[in-house]
Amino acid sequence: MYRIFIVEDDPGIARGIKKQMESWNLEARCAVDFEKIMEEFQDYHPHLVLLDISLPFYNGYYWCQEIRKVSKVPVIFISSASDNMNIVMAMQMGGDDFIAKPFDQMVMTAKIQAVLRRTYDYNGKPAFLEHRGAMLNMADASLSYRGEKIDLTKNEYRILQPLLENKGKIISRERLMEKLWETDSFVDENTLSVNVNRLRKKLEKAGLTDFITTKVGMGYLIG
């Protein structure tokens, strides 16, 4: 089920959108703390964001730029300020579409479904993988956590990706070594151990302790 994050400070409009999304079998959550949009975004890890322009504390353009630092999740702006300048600005800030208020609920739903289809159905895989608030961006092979971007080496990404794709399952050392062989560099047991240890240190430095569990004689696990 696709998750929609609604960043709209008018409670009536936000509740109306949420109810409409749920009637179309979409999961939806409304923003609560407009000073901590990124924390709520990373906690919910939505498939699409509906973002008002005029908001308390920081406007929608600001939050769109912050989202773009860590994710390519589609963003649709909603605003009563629907002049050409605002529409152009919304697109330049990283928005995928613009819906002018007042809007027809059915038109809004159709636009959301179209963006979801373009983003996920055609690509065949999600834009990112998430666990404990950490998001692995599949597009640029980077990891983000609490608004901070963690750069990964090619090997670290090749280790983390299958672990996140199979959360709760043990991935054997042999399978991870096969993934590392794709880098065209020599890989042995020690090479894998060195890369896993280096990745763990990066994760711990960012605050992600005990993110990867070792199963002795079997492999590794993200639970």
Side-chain angles (χ1 to χ4, degrees):
M1 183 182 292
Y2 291 119
R3 295 179 298 276
I4 313 299
F5 185 38
I6 304 163
V7 186
E8 163 62 66
D9 62 324
D10 185 310
I13 294 176
R15 284 195 300 269
I17 295 173
K18 184 175 186 292
K19 184 177 180 180
Q20 174 72 4
M21 295 298 95
E22 291 171 345
S23 72
W24 283 87
N25 294 319
L26 296 168
E27 185 181 319
R29 178 186 293 185
C30 299
V32 177
D33 189 338
F34 290 92
E35 275 191 288
K36 298 179 179 179
I37 294 300
M38 285 305 298
E39 291 182 23
E40 294 189 22
F41 170 83
Q42 293 189 306
D43 176 64
Y44 190 46
H45 50 93
H47 295 94
L48 182 144
V49 178
L50 282 175
L51 183 60
D52 193 9
I53 293 177
S54 299
L55 295 167
F57 306 108
Y58 303 97
N59 64 29
Y61 299 139
Y62 170 83
W63 290 120
C64 187
Q65 287 183 304
E66 292 300 297
I67 289 171
R68 284 290 168 262
K69 290 178 182 178
V70 299
S71 174
K72 293 190 177 183
V73 65
V75 174
I76 297 180
F77 280 95
I78 50 176
S79 178
S80 56
S82 58
D83 57 275
N84 289 340
M85 183 59 70
N86 274 290
I87 294 173
V88 170
M89 181 70 74
M91 299 301 105
Q92 289 179 337
M93 291 296 107
D96 295 271
D97 207 338
F98 190 102
I99 301 174
K101 297 179 185 176
F103 48 78
D104 180 275
Q105 292 272 23
M106 293 302 293
V107 171
M108 176 195 66
T109 303
K111 284 199 170 192
I112 289 170
Q113 290 177 328
V115 172
L116 288 172
R117 281 196 304 272
R118 288 199 303 267
T119 305
Y120 300 103
D121 290 356
Y122 297 162
N123 288 345
K125 61 181 180 180
F128 54 83
L129 300 169
E130 186 276 341
H131 183 63
R132 282 172 48 184
M135 292 193 295
L136 182 66
N137 190 324
M138 308 288 277
D140 64 5
S142 68
L143 188 72
S144 61
Y145 181 63
R146 293 179 177 174
E148 297 295 323
K149 191 171 182 179
I150 306 165
D151 289 322
L152 303 174
T153 66
K154 187 181 292 185
N155 280 347
E156 290 164 352
Y157 174 76
R158 290 179 185 275
I159 291 169
L160 196 55
Q161 181 188 0
L163 289 172
L164 285 171
E165 287 176 336
N166 297 275
K167 286 186 292 185
K169 298 179 182 178
I170 297 172
I171 304 298
S172 68
R173 290 179 61 87
E174 290 76 16
R175 181 175 171 186
L176 291 177
M177 287 174 65
E178 288 175 4
K179 290 290 291 184
L180 295 189
W181 268 112
E182 296 174 11
T183 62
D184 297 325
S185 59
F186 177 71
V187 176
D188 58 13
E189 289 277 345
N190 185 59
T191 303
L192 176 60
S193 297
V194 168
N195 278 276
V196 170
N197 289 335
R198 187 181 297 130
L199 175 57
R200 276 191 171 129
K201 288 179 181 178
K202 281 188 180 181
L203 296 174
E204 289 172 2
K205 186 177 180 180
L208 290 163
T209 56
D210 301 321
F211 198 76
I212 300 174
T213 301
T214 299
K215 295 294 182 179
V216 179
M218 300 174 72
Y220 300 96
L221 167 74
I222 287 179

